[in-house]
Amino acid sequence: MTAVSTQDTIGSSDDARGPGQVPPPRADCIADSAGGLTFDVTDPGEAGTAHLLLRRRDSDPVAEVRLPLTPAGDGRLRAALPSSVELAEGRWNAYALVDGGEPRRLMPGVNDLRSLVDRAPSGSRGHVSVRIPYATKQGNLSVRAWVRAPHAEAGELRITDTGVTARGRVYGTELAAGARVEAVFRKEPERVVRVDVTARGPEFDVTLRYEDLAAGHGPWDLWLLPGGDEGPRVRLARLLDDVADKKPIFTYPVTVIEGPDGPVEAGPYYTNDNDLAVRVRAVAVGD
């Protein structure tokens, strides 16, 4: 699946070029199941030592990763981003850089992301690292990266007239007898609804009733406490697939229930960071 970011505000001028100008280089991307990426880049059209440059968007100070581009044997240049190379969570714009020149924004080619579908990392390193290349709304290549330690992967959602049941799996830690999920009202973080989970090894199920959230109009963020009162709080998120931006792709029905201040509609959704949340909104009388 392919998703287009609605948040990209950088690089729109990179695509403007007059007659006779060399088109920007393109990069085909191949993902591996360990979290690494390989980039095959068309000739940037300049002589000299070349690198693929990844620059983290909105970072201060500027965060960059440079990967050597070497001949791939088919007229293209290849760069490898192994899973062992750290890439902080965020959006990374991709450029071709030849020594002595200016970075040139890369255009997306063919993305082979089949190894990311239904990916199940071991979690033995205590964290989950995810990198997904995608096309921005300006048609440029970027990489969305996540690093979660530990991580709670949201899977199947079952939606009924009264609530939502989420199935998940935890990585990098274990589920204790007192494991629970907390729904935190984003506007008032001190307002929390706690629900016990049903655990089966590293997997769990949790059911949230909409009536318990109906008094808070707005988003409720979902956190897993795998150790109960002990240990970390882990954001529930869906990261282990090939979709960089899930919010416009994964949409779910809403249910109208009676709240303390009148009817509300409630339903799950994914945030801009692919974290799982439940949104509650008032329903105007007569709608």
Side-chain angles (χ1 to χ4, degrees), residues 1 4 6 25 30 52 81 93 99 111 128 138 141 148 153 161 196 199 239 259 279:
M1 300 181 68
V4 177
T6 58
I30 301 175
L52 187 141
L81 176 67
N93 296 332
D99 288 353
N111 288 340
V128 168
Q138 286 87 11
L141 177 65
R148 299 287 172 94
E153 176 74 5
D161 291 339
D196 292 335
L239 307 179
R279 180 182 285 115

Side-chain angles (χ1 to χ4, degrees), residues 6-282:
T6 58
Q7 295 180 302
D8 185 45
T9 58
I10 298 176
S12 59
S13 63
D14 296 340
D15 298 332
R17 56 183 187 273
Q21 285 189 305
V22 177
R26 292 182 175 272
D28 296 337
C29 297
I30 301 175
D32 64 49
S33 59
L37 291 175
T38 299
F39 303 85
D40 284 339
V41 181
T42 58
D43 189 343
E46 304 172 53
T49 302
H51 288 82
L52 187 141
L53 173 67
L54 296 174
R55 181 177 292 163
R56 187 166 179 244
R57 197 180 304 167
D58 301 326
S59 62
D60 185 18
V62 175
E64 294 182 342
V65 172
R66 296 193 182 200
L67 306 171
L69 280 166
T70 59
D74 57 359
R76 296 185 296 176
L77 302 175
R78 177 169 294 172
L81 176 67
S83 59
S84 57
V85 173
E86 182 178 346
L87 204 64
E89 187 159 325
R91 297 177 187 267
W92 294 75
N93 296 332
Y95 302 83
L97 175 63
V98 177
D99 288 353
E102 293 295 324
R104 298 184 65 199
R105 205 66 164 87
L106 283 171
M107 303 285 284
V110 177
N111 288 340
D112 184 351
L113 308 181
R114 289 173 292 179
S115 65
L116 299 183
V117 179
D118 298 325
R119 179 180 171 222
S122 67
S124 60
R125 292 188 293 177
H127 71 273
V128 168
S129 177
V130 178
R131 293 91 175 266
I132 305 177
Y134 69 99
T136 70
K137 68 179 181 180
Q138 286 87 11
N140 299 313
L141 177 65
S142 288
V143 175
R144 184 70 172 92
W146 290 266
V147 181
R148 299 287 172 94
H151 171 56
E153 176 74 5
E156 176 188 0
L157 302 183
R158 187 170 69 252
I159 300 168
T160 68
D161 291 339
T162 58
V164 56
T165 297
R167 175 161 293 178
R169 182 183 180 94
V170 67
Y171 295 89
T173 190
E174 296 181 353
L175 294 168
R180 65 175 182 267
V181 163
E182 293 186 345
V184 179
F185 189 45
R186 194 178 300 170
K187 294 179 182 178
E188 300 172 22
E190 67 277 6
R191 187 186 297 189
V192 178
V193 173
R194 298 176 175 87
V195 183
D196 292 335
V197 306
T198 302
R200 302 174 308 281
E203 298 182 347
F204 63 90
D205 291 309
V206 61
T207 298
L208 290 160
R209 299 187 305 170
Y210 292 147
E211 64 177 316
D212 294 334
L213 311 178
H217 296 179
W220 291 77
D221 296 320
L222 306 184
W223 295 82
L224 173 69
L225 280 69
D229 293 329
E230 303 293 332
R233 299 173 76 246
V234 185
R235 193 72 166 87
L236 266 71
R238 184 164 180 170
L239 307 179
L240 299 176
D241 57 26
D242 62 340
V243 182
D245 291 281
K246 296 187 174 53
K247 189 174 183 179
I249 304 297
F250 291 86
T251 58
Y252 300 97
V254 297
T255 300
V256 176
I257 64 170
E258 192 64 31
D261 300 316
V264 297
E265 62 177 24
Y269 76 102
Y270 285 102
T271 70
N272 291 330
D273 290 326
N274 291 356
D275 295 326
L276 184 61
V278 174
R279 180 182 285 115
V280 177
R281 289 188 286 209

